[in-house]
Amino acid sequence: MTTTVSAYAAYAAYAAPAAKAPLERTTVPRRPVGEHDVLIEIKYAGICHSDIHQARDGWGEGIFPMVPGHEIAGIVAEVGPGVTTFAVGDRVGVGCMVDSCRECDNCKAGLEQYCLGAGMVGTYNALDKNGEPTYGGYSTHIVVDEAFTLRIPDGLSLDVAAPLLCAGITLYSPLAHWQAGPGKRVAIVGLGGLGHMGVKIAHALGAEVTVLSQSLRKKDDGLKLGADHYYATSDEATFEELAGTFDLIVSTVSAPLPLDAYLRLLKTDGAFVNVGAPEEPVSLNLFSVIGGRKTLAGSGIGGIRETQEMLDFCAEHGLGAEIELISADRINEAYERVLASDVRYRFVIDAATI
């Protein structure tokens, strides 16, 4: 059924009223559905570690009250008169951004996540083009421009698709860019919300996949998800045994790592790519990259076109996130469990409980 919105409307949400404060139920305003907007009835929203970083001011001063959530899956409830790509009832998703300048070289190249203008507009904890705060997916509804809305293929259930809008694209983008595939040896550092999708995607791309984790506690899981090998980084012998092994290492962890030790695991011309973002600075001896012409890089989500490509790839290969579905009143508990690595492997909020 189409919902008509002629003015700002208030929708239920869970928000952090201040930095480090527990999230609580509230309402937030959503703008009227504009010419090219879609109103989405949110069905599921994933909990990303970056939600915790931002709600607790780990990455700098946030905008409060803050409604986190950038792993959003739902159903189109209304479309603006100029919308051409979606219709009421369509299955859609929203990821980490809801706008960009759309005019710079990067935006025109489909790299909106690296917008050179005012920068991408985050789905939450950001200011939109009208200078108003954006509110994320821990809510019942959201209004998004059709240009930043993704189509979720029928082959993916909405609950397991939601985390793909961040965790999936965050791993797919570097794996595709550095050409993980047959004949390539790829290591995923950390088997968590991001890492488990990295294993699935790298395996589906045809690479030989190794998990590097602190312990062997999740080894059975890693092998079931598609890893060929699994090593504990707490064992010093791991770094000796695997020296010069990998074409590509993707680190998903949000804690500082001994980069020099990990760079020694790369082959000549290998790349170590960070997608996890520690709150603390990290140190590096430059000889670790000079020797072997190695690359130390970072990667942040993907553009809209690549995100749609990722969703289609995951549907084709039957790749959804491994989730634990929770009610909204358990969000604060879920945050503590994420910090304790006590989830396999992504919490997803049932928006019907908000």
Side-chain angles (χ1 to χ4, degrees):
M1 179 177 178
T2 301
T3 302
T4 301
V5 180
S6 58
Y8 278 74
Y11 291 103
Y14 269 74
K20 302 180 176 65
L23 277 75
E24 57 189 38
R25 192 174 189 275
T26 184
T27 60
V28 293
R30 300 293 189 186
R31 69 175 184 265
V33 175
E35 180 77 11
H36 296 285
D37 285 338
V38 295
L39 172 68
I40 301 168
E41 180 184 355
I42 298 172
K43 296 297 186 182
Y44 300 100
I47 292 179
C48 178
H49 200 151
S50 60
D51 297 345
I52 303 173
H53 285 298
Q54 295 183 78
R56 299 185 177 185
D57 269 358
W59 289 344
E61 188 173 349
I63 301 170
F64 294 92
M66 182 189 298
V67 177
H70 55 209
E71 296 182 339
I72 301 167
I75 303 294
V76 175
E78 182 186 352
V79 298
V83 171
T84 60
T85 48
F86 299 101
V88 171
D90 283 352
R91 307 165 78 250
V92 294
V94 180
C96 300
M97 57 184 169
V98 291
D99 208 348
S100 69
C101 82
R102 312 191 197 193
E103 298 177 352
C104 70
D105 289 346
N106 280 355
C107 285
K108 290 179 179 178
L111 298 171
E112 300 94 342
Q113 76 274 33
Y114 304 130
C115 175
L116 299 170
M120 76 171 200
V121 177
T123 303
Y124 69 91
N125 195 28
L127 299 176
D128 65 20
K129 60 186 176 183
N130 297 318
E132 298 177 343
T134 57
Y135 299 111
Y138 297 7
S139 181
T140 60
H141 294 76
I142 190 170
V143 178
V144 183
D145 190 294
E146 65 172 326
F148 286 81
T149 304
L150 288 305
R151 185 176 302 278
I152 296 180
D154 290 338
L156 289 170
S157 298
L158 291 179
D159 53 355
V160 302
L164 301 181
L165 276 303
C166 175
I169 186 57
T170 295
L171 273 297
Y172 182 87
S173 187
L175 289 168
H177 180 78
W178 275 275
Q179 300 179 332
K184 295 291 185 71
R185 303 186 73 178
V186 174
I188 304 296
V189 183
L191 190 68
L194 295 177
H196 90 283
M197 285 309 308
V199 171
K200 287 189 173 191
I201 292 169
H203 175 74
L205 288 168
E208 181 180 339
V209 185
T210 297
V211 174
L212 300 175
S213 184
Q214 284 186 311
S215 73
L216 299 179
R217 182 168 57 96
K218 300 178 183 177
K219 181 176 180 179
D220 289 345
D221 283 1
L223 298 178
K224 290 177 183 177
L225 292 168
D228 300 286
H229 315 285
Y230 200 109
Y231 288 87
T233 55
S234 57
D235 184 349
E236 293 183 4
T238 291
F239 290 91
E240 297 177 10
E241 181 179 347
L242 299 180
T245 293
F246 301 109
D247 299 286
L248 174 65
I249 301 174
V250 182
S251 174
T252 70
V253 302
S254 57
L257 292 177
L259 293 180
D260 299 299
Y262 281 88
L263 287 163
R264 286 193 289 272
L265 303 181
L266 292 172
K267 295 179 179 179
T268 300
D269 288 327
F272 182 97
V273 182
N274 293 276
V275 298
E279 296 178 3
E280 306 89 350
V282 295
S283 62
L284 172 70
N285 184 330
L286 285 176
F287 283 104
S288 295
V289 292
I290 292 171
R293 199 166 57 192
K294 298 169 183 175
T295 298
L296 175 62
S299 178
I301 58 170
I304 295 300
R305 183 171 61 235
E306 187 177 45
T307 304
Q308 188 64 61
E309 177 185 300
M310 176 276 303
L311 288 169
D312 295 340
F313 177 88
C314 287
E316 178 186 352
H317 293 273
L319 307 181
E322 303 295 315
I323 69 168
E324 181 176 335
L325 191 63
I326 64 168
S327 56
D329 59 3
R330 295 179 58 200
I331 292 173
N332 293 305
E333 171 197 342
Y335 273 25
E336 297 306 318
R337 287 181 56 192
V338 169
L339 294 173
S341 299
D342 180 26
V343 56
R344 296 193 179 184
Y345 281 90
R346 203 63 152 187
F347 285 116
V348 172
I349 302 163
D350 180 352
T353 65
I354 293 176

Short mmCIF file of all heavy atoms in Angstrom, two decimals, residues 47 59 71-72 79 83 156 165 173 186 191 210 219 239 299 313 347:
data_model
loop_
_atom_site.label_atom_id
_atom_site.label_comp_id
_atom_site.label_asym_id
_atom_site.label_seq_id
_atom_site.Cartn_x
_atom_site.Cartn_y
_atom_site.Cartn_z
N ILE A 47 23.86 -4.72 12.17
CA ILE A 47 24.68 -3.97 13.12
C ILE A 47 26.13 -4.14 12.72
O ILE A 47 26.67 -5.25 12.73
CB ILE A 47 24.46 -4.46 14.56
CG1 ILE A 47 23.04 -4.11 15.02
CG2 ILE A 47 25.49 -3.85 15.51
CD1 ILE A 47 22.71 -4.57 16.43
N TRP A 59 35.57 7.55 16.22
CA TRP A 59 36.21 8.08 15.01
C TRP A 59 36.13 9.60 14.94
O TRP A 59 36.27 10.19 13.89
CB TRP A 59 35.55 7.48 13.77
CG TRP A 59 35.87 6.05 13.54
CD1 TRP A 59 36.88 5.32 14.11
CD2 TRP A 59 35.19 5.14 12.67
NE1 TRP A 59 36.86 4.03 13.66
CE2 TRP A 59 35.82 3.89 12.77
CE3 TRP A 59 34.08 5.26 11.82
CZ2 TRP A 59 35.42 2.77 12.03
CZ3 TRP A 59 33.67 4.16 11.09
CH2 TRP A 59 34.34 2.93 11.19
N GLU A 71 23.17 -0.88 6.90
CA GLU A 71 22.96 -2.17 6.25
C GLU A 71 21.44 -2.41 6.25
O GLU A 71 20.90 -3.05 7.13
CB GLU A 71 23.68 -3.29 6.99
CG GLU A 71 25.19 -3.14 6.98
CD GLU A 71 25.92 -4.27 7.69
OE1 GLU A 71 25.30 -4.98 8.52
OE2 GLU A 71 27.12 -4.45 7.41
N ILE A 72 20.78 -1.83 5.27
CA ILE A 72 19.33 -1.69 5.29
C ILE A 72 18.69 -2.49 4.15
O ILE A 72 19.09 -2.36 3.00
CB ILE A 72 18.93 -0.21 5.15
CG1 ILE A 72 19.54 0.63 6.28
CG2 ILE A 72 17.42 -0.04 5.09
CD1 ILE A 72 19.48 2.13 6.06
N VAL A 79 6.99 6.07 -4.14
CA VAL A 79 8.02 6.62 -5.03
C VAL A 79 7.61 8.03 -5.44
O VAL A 79 6.42 8.35 -5.56
CB VAL A 79 8.22 5.75 -6.29
CG1 VAL A 79 8.70 4.36 -5.91
CG2 VAL A 79 6.97 5.67 -7.13
N VAL A 83 10.62 9.13 -10.28
CA VAL A 83 11.36 7.87 -10.10
C VAL A 83 11.09 6.94 -11.27
O VAL A 83 9.93 6.69 -11.63
CB VAL A 83 11.00 7.20 -8.76
CG1 VAL A 83 11.59 5.80 -8.68
CG2 VAL A 83 11.50 8.06 -7.60
N LEU A 156 17.94 -13.57 -2.88
CA LEU A 156 18.48 -13.29 -1.56
C LEU A 156 17.34 -12.94 -0.60
O LEU A 156 16.54 -12.05 -0.88
CB LEU A 156 19.46 -12.10 -1.61
CG LEU A 156 20.81 -12.33 -2.29
CD1 LEU A 156 21.54 -11.00 -2.46
CD2 LEU A 156 21.66 -13.30 -1.48
N LEU A 165 25.07 -4.89 2.36
CA LEU A 165 25.13 -3.48 1.98
C LEU A 165 26.32 -2.76 2.58
O LEU A 165 26.68 -1.67 2.14
CB LEU A 165 23.83 -2.78 2.35
CG LEU A 165 22.66 -2.90 1.36
CD1 LEU A 165 23.03 -2.39 0.00
CD2 LEU A 165 22.12 -4.31 1.25
N SER A 173 34.70 -5.22 -2.93
CA SER A 173 35.40 -4.18 -3.68
C SER A 173 36.91 -4.41 -3.75
O SER A 173 37.48 -4.42 -4.85
CB SER A 173 35.09 -2.80 -3.10
OG SER A 173 35.63 -1.78 -3.92
N VAL A 186 44.84 -15.77 -1.36
CA VAL A 186 44.26 -14.65 -0.64
C VAL A 186 44.13 -15.00 0.84
O VAL A 186 43.68 -16.11 1.18
CB VAL A 186 42.88 -14.29 -1.21
CG1 VAL A 186 42.19 -13.21 -0.37
CG2 VAL A 186 43.00 -13.84 -2.66
N LEU A 191 37.89 -13.36 11.32
CA LEU A 191 36.68 -14.04 10.86
C LEU A 191 35.50 -13.52 11.68
O LEU A 191 34.99 -14.19 12.56
CB LEU A 191 36.81 -15.55 11.00
CG LEU A 191 35.69 -16.36 10.31
CD1 LEU A 191 35.79 -16.22 8.80
CD2 LEU A 191 35.74 -17.83 10.72
N THR A 210 42.84 -18.34 2.71
CA THR A 210 43.35 -18.65 4.04
C THR A 210 42.78 -17.65 5.04
O THR A 210 42.71 -16.45 4.75
CB THR A 210 44.89 -18.55 4.08
OG1 THR A 210 45.45 -19.53 3.20
CG2 THR A 210 45.44 -18.76 5.48
N LYS A 219 37.91 -22.27 13.53
CA LYS A 219 38.46 -22.95 12.37
C LYS A 219 37.40 -23.74 11.60
O LYS A 219 37.33 -23.67 10.37
CB LYS A 219 39.60 -23.89 12.78
CG LYS A 219 40.25 -24.61 11.60
CD LYS A 219 41.43 -25.47 12.03
CE LYS A 219 42.04 -26.17 10.82
NZ LYS A 219 43.23 -27.00 11.22
N PHE A 239 53.81 -17.02 11.19
CA PHE A 239 54.46 -15.99 10.38
C PHE A 239 55.74 -16.51 9.72
O PHE A 239 56.12 -16.03 8.65
CB PHE A 239 54.74 -14.75 11.24
CG PHE A 239 53.49 -14.02 11.63
CD1 PHE A 239 52.81 -14.32 12.80
CD2 PHE A 239 52.96 -13.04 10.81
CE1 PHE A 239 51.64 -13.67 13.15
CE2 PHE A 239 51.79 -12.37 11.14
CZ PHE A 239 51.12 -12.69 12.31
N SER A 299 40.77 0.38 1.57
CA SER A 299 39.62 0.32 0.66
C SER A 299 38.36 0.61 1.46
O SER A 299 38.20 0.12 2.58
CB SER A 299 39.53 -1.05 0.00
OG SER A 299 38.41 -1.15 -0.85
N PHE A 313 26.10 -10.74 -7.78
CA PHE A 313 27.07 -11.82 -7.64
C PHE A 313 26.69 -12.73 -6.47
O PHE A 313 26.70 -13.96 -6.58
CB PHE A 313 28.47 -11.23 -7.43
CG PHE A 313 29.55 -12.25 -7.18
CD1 PHE A 313 30.23 -12.83 -8.25
CD2 PHE A 313 29.89 -12.62 -5.89
CE1 PHE A 313 31.24 -13.76 -8.02
CE2 PHE A 313 30.90 -13.55 -5.66
CZ PHE A 313 31.57 -14.12 -6.73
N PHE A 347 24.85 -9.43 13.65
CA PHE A 347 23.54 -9.17 14.21
C PHE A 347 22.70 -8.43 13.20
O PHE A 347 23.17 -7.50 12.53
CB PHE A 347 23.65 -8.31 15.48
CG PHE A 347 24.14 -9.06 16.69
CD1 PHE A 347 25.34 -8.72 17.30
CD2 PHE A 347 23.38 -10.10 17.24
CE1 PHE A 347 25.79 -9.41 18.41
CE2 PHE A 347 23.82 -10.78 18.35
CZ PHE A 347 25.03 -10.45 18.94
#
